[in-house]
Amino acid sequence: GPRVIPDDTRRALEKCELFRDFTRSQLMQVAALVEERSLEPDEVLLVEGDPANYLMVIVEGQGVAQLGLDQGLISLGLVGPSEVAGWWSLLDGQVYPASITALTPMRVAAFEASGLTLLMNLDPEIGYLIHRRLSGILFLQYQTALQAIKTAM
C-alpha cells in the first residue's frame, strides 16, 4: 500500500519553498521518496566538497551552514524546519558548497537526487514546479551574496 510518512514530515514538505505549489497528489509522490534521518547536536548533515547526492528538507531542529576558509569556518546562517539543504544536488555533477552541522537534535527528510530527478523527468509538471522554485532560491541567494559584497566594501 501507500507509504505513510509522519505528520510533521508531511507538514514540513507542505511548507517547504521547493514544494509550495504542489497538489496533494504531487506532494505524496515526492513524499514516497523520503528517507528519514536523525542527527544529534554537532553531527554533520552535509560536508563541504562532498558529491551533492541528497537534497534534504529539515523536519525538526536547527543546523548551521558553514564555509571553510583559510582563517577557519565562517557561518553562512541557520537552517531550520521546512527549509531546504543540499539543493545543489538537483544540478548535475555538483558538490556541496558548504557544510551543515546540527546545533540541536534534528530530523530531516532526505531525497536521493537520482530518485527526485527521475520523478521530475517522469512528471514534467513536478519537474517544472521544482525548477521554478529552485530558480527563485538561487536568485535570492545571489541577491544576498551581492548585498553582502556591497556591505563589505
Side-chain angles (χ1 to χ4, degrees):
R3 205 160 151 258
V4 177
I5 63 167
D7 285 343
D8 56 349
T9 301
R10 181 186 46 77
R11 281 192 298 275
L13 294 178
E14 287 172 346
K15 292 178 185 176
C16 176
E17 177 71 18
L18 209 52
F19 307 121
R20 196 170 62 193
D21 297 328
F22 278 37
T23 65
R24 184 154 184 83
S25 169
Q26 290 168 329
L27 198 63
M28 290 303 103
Q29 288 181 69
V30 167
L33 302 174
V34 166
E35 297 173 30
E36 294 269 348
R37 294 192 185 168
S38 297
L39 292 95
E40 294 301 319
D42 297 322
E43 220 176 316
V44 178
L45 177 64
L46 302 177
V47 177
E48 179 182 350
D50 276 4
N53 295 327
Y54 284 88
L55 175 125
M56 320 232 188
V57 175
I58 312 305
V59 174
E60 179 182 285
Q62 194 167 57
V64 61
Q66 296 174 312
L67 185 63
L69 300 175
D70 291 340
Q71 306 89 326
L73 294 174
I74 183 171
S75 176
L76 301 175
L78 301 175
V79 291
S82 299
E83 292 185 316
V84 176
W87 52 262
W88 284 94
S89 63
L90 295 179
L91 307 173
D92 284 343
Q94 296 300 312
V95 296
Y96 296 120
S99 295
I100 295 179
T101 303
L103 293 174
T104 67
M106 290 179 76
R107 283 187 34 245
V108 299
F111 297 91
E112 192 168 357
S114 59
L116 195 52
T117 301
L118 179 61
L119 176 61
M120 291 165 61
N121 288 332
L122 291 173
D123 188 330
E125 186 176 356
I126 287 177
Y128 170 75
L129 291 171
I130 288 176
H131 276 282
R132 190 176 80 198
R133 287 288 171 201
L134 184 59
S135 297
I137 291 169
L138 289 168
F139 178 73
L140 286 175
Q141 291 198 349
Y142 177 72
Q143 278 188 314
T144 302
L146 287 180
Q147 192 57 47
I149 291 168
K150 288 178 185 176
T151 304
M153 300 206 132

